[in-house]
Amino acid sequence: MFSKKEKGVVKSVVILFMFIFIMSSYSWGELLFEKDEYASRRQKLMDMIPDGAAIILGAYRPTGYKAFFQNNNFMYFCGVEIPNSILIIDGKNRESILFFTISEREAKGEGISIDLVKDPEEVTGIERFYPRERFSSYLSRMSSRMDVFYTSYKPQELERECTNEKFRILQSDMTMNLWDGRLTRELRFVSLLQERFPQMEIKDCSSMIRDLRMIKTPAEIEIIKKAGQIGVKAHNELMRSTEVGMYEYKISSLFEYLCKKEGSNELSYYTIISSAENHPYLHYHKYDRLLEDGDFIVIDAGPDYGYYDVDITISYPANGHFTARQREVYQAAYEVQKTCMSLYKPGVTREEVKEKVKTILKEKGYDLSKDVLKKRTIIETGGFTHFVGMAVHDVGGGPANWGTLKPGMVFACDIYAAFPGQKLGVRIEDTVLITEDGCQNLTRGIPRSIDEIEKLMKEKGLVRTLKEKGLY
């Protein structure tokens, strides 16, 4: 039997897990941002489409027992979390029209603001609202007074999705599959528009949306910072709690618990954990190894907070003490990461950063011919990998598409290398914002130096605390 004190601890743990369950299906209710923020985004798109109107489709209801997640483009332009909604952004008449149908009872059951249902124009700032059933007739009338309909040809992003990757998978596994052949929802919508309005020109606006989403506003940056704080706190606890003899699945479970405890509604992507022979597989996520003495572990994981993501990776020894070889490889990667971060600023390119990093390392006495610095992913990328925002691999593509860095860009600085024959890999990754005169690490606060990591891992973590109380 539990003592009175132990019963109190158990009760606290139960309450905490109930809170996590509630948060995991939490709806944001009204709007995440002020309505003027969304209005500004719509106005920028209107500037790009003065000859027509953009049609932004919302997400369908989930088919399984999981919380509804609005797609990222719809959230970006209006912030409304109601299934089957449609948004028209009319560039010719400089107005927006919102369509949705939901009862007050349904709204309450989903945690949706009743004020939003009763008075969507007041809550959202969108000029006009109609029930979804009137969308077809409204579109018909609109087609008589303009020549162009815009819509995104790219697939919608839902939780843990990235539109470009999703498009490639759907094209390969569905559209080009001889035993399937279906179009994506978006391309089917394009086909229907062409069929029903043959007089209209149908254009893809996905590149316009990409250009807007690539540059984060101050309001977006604050949300990403909050996601970063949650991720940093969770990663630091992982280091404290990791010990030899622990299965990787326990580390994965602990990360998700820690993020949702702090208000994260989802993870940015499945947690990636590699050790020993799995280091070469950069997205390994089976969590099937029992950590052994001498293992070096890489954990790539980030929370989603308010539809915004961060990307973080930590590397450290399972036993809390670096071997000479682990120290050599980690220190080289850390030196490259610090140097990259010192060079990011508006106007620089990936190639400029890469060459400058090489020069600085040589000046510091590093031998660039050594194996720890010859890996392509250590220096050749300049740390640039992908944009981060509403998706962990956010719209905008890879480094070759970027040109020069601009204020408001948020991307992952990712330094990694694997040594398969040595069962060793290292990865150091942070989410970085380009500011007016430099950069800011949005996931700052994780111990990165070897001394800092070894010091943190000596601290008592959550796992040891629970073990001492007989609750683990």
Side-chain angles (χ1 to χ4, degrees):
M1 297 293 292
F2 288 118
S3 67
K4 185 175 181 180
K5 183 177 180 181
E6 287 170 332
K7 286 180 180 178
V9 172
V10 171
K11 183 178 179 181
S12 298
V13 171
V14 170
I15 291 171
L16 191 55
F17 273 98
M18 288 176 63
F19 170 76
I20 293 166
F21 174 78
I22 292 168
M23 287 304 301
S24 68
S25 59
Y26 176 72
S27 174
W28 291 94
E30 291 193 11
L31 305 184
L32 180 61
F33 300 109
E34 295 294 329
K35 57 187 177 183
D36 288 348
E37 170 80 8
Y38 296 106
S40 174
R41 299 173 188 178
R42 294 193 297 271
Q43 288 161 11
K44 289 176 182 176
L45 183 59
M46 289 176 192
D47 293 341
M48 299 176 176
I49 55 170
D51 56 345
I55 305 165
I56 312 296
L57 302 176
Y60 292 149
R61 291 175 295 175
T63 55
Y65 291 104
K66 59 181 181 179
F68 172 73
F69 193 97
Q70 186 59 275
N71 72 58
N72 286 337
N73 283 345
F74 201 88
M75 283 297 290
Y76 181 80
F77 285 113
C78 69
V80 172
E81 281 189 304
I82 297 178
N84 298 310
S85 300
I86 301 173
L87 176 67
I88 293 178
I89 300 175
D90 186 342
K92 189 169 185 178
N93 297 290
R94 306 292 299 187
E95 64 176 359
S96 299
I97 306 94
L98 179 64
F99 300 83
F100 69 74
T101 298
I102 190 170
S103 69
E104 288 188 24
R105 179 179 177 81
E106 289 173 318
K108 286 181 179 179
E110 294 298 325
I112 296 168
S113 165
I114 298 302
D115 289 340
L116 172 60
V117 176
K118 287 182 174 179
D119 195 351
E121 293 157 270
E122 172 61 27
V123 172
T124 66
I126 292 173
E127 290 81 1
R128 282 194 277 169
F129 161 75
Y130 298 106
R132 190 181 190 280
E133 292 75 16
R134 292 185 60 182
F135 170 69
S136 295
S137 60
Y138 189 91
L139 208 59
S140 295
R141 291 196 303 275
M142 180 175 274
S143 68
S144 66
R145 50 188 170 85
M146 62 180 62
D147 300 320
V148 185
F149 283 152
Y150 293 87
T151 192
S152 176
Y153 288 22
K154 293 289 183 71
Q156 67 176 353
E157 291 168 327
L158 299 176
E159 69 273 28
R160 305 192 190 193
E161 290 185 343
C162 306
T163 188
N164 290 329
E165 295 166 11
K166 184 176 181 179
F167 180 73
R168 288 193 294 269
I169 292 170
L170 291 177
Q171 282 290 100
S172 172
D173 295 0
M174 185 176 76
T175 305
M176 304 304 292
N177 183 343
L178 293 177
W179 295 100
D180 191 331
R182 289 172 296 161
L183 295 174
T184 63
R185 177 198 179 194
E186 291 73 21
L187 291 182
R188 176 59 179 157
F189 181 65
V190 170
S191 177
L192 288 172
L193 287 175
Q194 292 169 336
E195 176 186 317
R196 296 173 186 179
F197 304 103
Q199 78 281 13
M200 299 290 292
E201 185 176 5
I202 313 301
K203 291 186 178 181
D204 184 9
C205 64
S206 57
S207 62
M208 301 174 188
I209 297 173
R210 173 203 65 199
D211 291 345
L212 292 175
R213 282 178 50 182
M214 275 173 56
I215 305 299
K216 307 302 187 286
T217 66
E220 289 180 288
I221 291 165
E222 289 305 309
I223 293 291
I224 298 173
K225 284 181 179 178
K226 176 61 177 177
Q229 292 167 2
I230 292 171
V232 167
K233 190 172 182 179
H235 274 287
N236 287 349
E237 184 54 47
L238 291 188
M239 284 197 220
R240 291 190 192 95
S241 290
T242 298
E243 53 189 36
V244 173
M246 174 184 282
Y247 272 103
E248 291 172 344
Y249 70 79
K250 293 187 177 182
I251 297 174
S252 171
S253 300
L254 180 58
F255 183 81
E256 185 161 0
Y257 158 75
L258 292 165
C259 289
K260 290 187 175 179
K261 178 178 73 71
E262 296 298 321
S264 169
N265 53 312
E266 245 295 356
L267 297 186
S268 302
Y269 47 99
Y270 52 66
T271 298
I272 296 163
I273 302 179
S274 60
S275 59
E277 66 273 9
N278 297 323
H279 279 299
Y281 312 110
L282 297 178
H283 285 181
Y284 196 79
H285 57 280
K286 289 293 289 184
Y287 322 129
D288 53 359
R289 286 199 71 254
L290 183 70
L291 295 178
E292 300 176 1
D293 194 24
D295 279 345
F296 199 72
I297 185 170
V298 171
I299 302 176
D300 183 350
D304 176 292
Y305 180 78
Y307 284 82
Y308 285 83
D309 298 342
V310 289
D311 201 355
I312 307 171
T313 308
I314 58 176
S315 304
Y316 58 97
N319 64 11
H321 303 284
F322 285 76
T323 65
R325 178 58 173 166
Q326 290 168 357
R327 182 178 291 267
E328 178 187 27
V329 172
Y330 183 89
Q331 187 59 40
Y334 180 46
E335 198 65 50
V336 172
Q337 198 237 19
K338 287 192 298 181
T339 307
C340 287
M341 297 280 276
S342 72
L343 298 172
Y344 296 145
K345 63 181 180 180
V348 302
T349 66
R350 171 196 179 194
E351 288 300 311
E352 289 170 343
V353 170
K354 180 184 77 175
E355 293 306 317
K356 188 65 174 176
V357 168
K358 290 180 179 179
T359 299
I360 292 172
L361 290 181
K362 286 179 182 177
E363 291 172 351
K364 290 184 175 181
Y366 280 87
D367 181 357
L368 302 190
S369 68
K370 294 194 69 174
D371 66 341
V372 294
L373 291 170
K374 284 177 68 176
K375 296 283 184 179
R376 181 188 68 82
T377 50
I378 283 283
I379 293 180
E380 294 302 316
T381 64
F384 293 61
T385 48
H386 54 83
F387 285 116
V388 179
M390 298 188 83
V392 68
H393 294 170
D394 208 17
V395 291
N401 302 326
W402 297 1
T404 60
L405 293 179
K406 299 178 179 62
M409 285 183 170
V410 175
F411 64 94
C413 173
D414 186 3
I415 310 299
Y416 62 95
F419 301 84
Q422 303 169 45
K423 294 186 176 181
L424 178 60
V426 63
R427 194 167 191 174
I428 303 174
E429 184 176 24
D430 280 299
T431 300
V432 181
L433 164 71
I434 298 300
T435 62
E436 293 295 332
D437 56 1
C439 74
Q440 183 179 354
N441 184 353
L442 300 181
T443 50
R444 184 177 181 179
I446 295 173
R448 290 298 192 185
S449 74
I450 291 172
D451 288 345
E452 289 172 336
I453 292 171
E454 290 186 337
K455 180 181 178 182
L456 180 67
M457 293 188 72
K458 291 178 182 176
E459 296 179 7
K460 183 166 67 173
L462 179 61
V463 169
R464 201 189 315 169
T465 300
L466 290 174
K467 282 183 176 181
E468 290 175 356
K469 296 181 180 295
L471 298 171
Y472 183 83

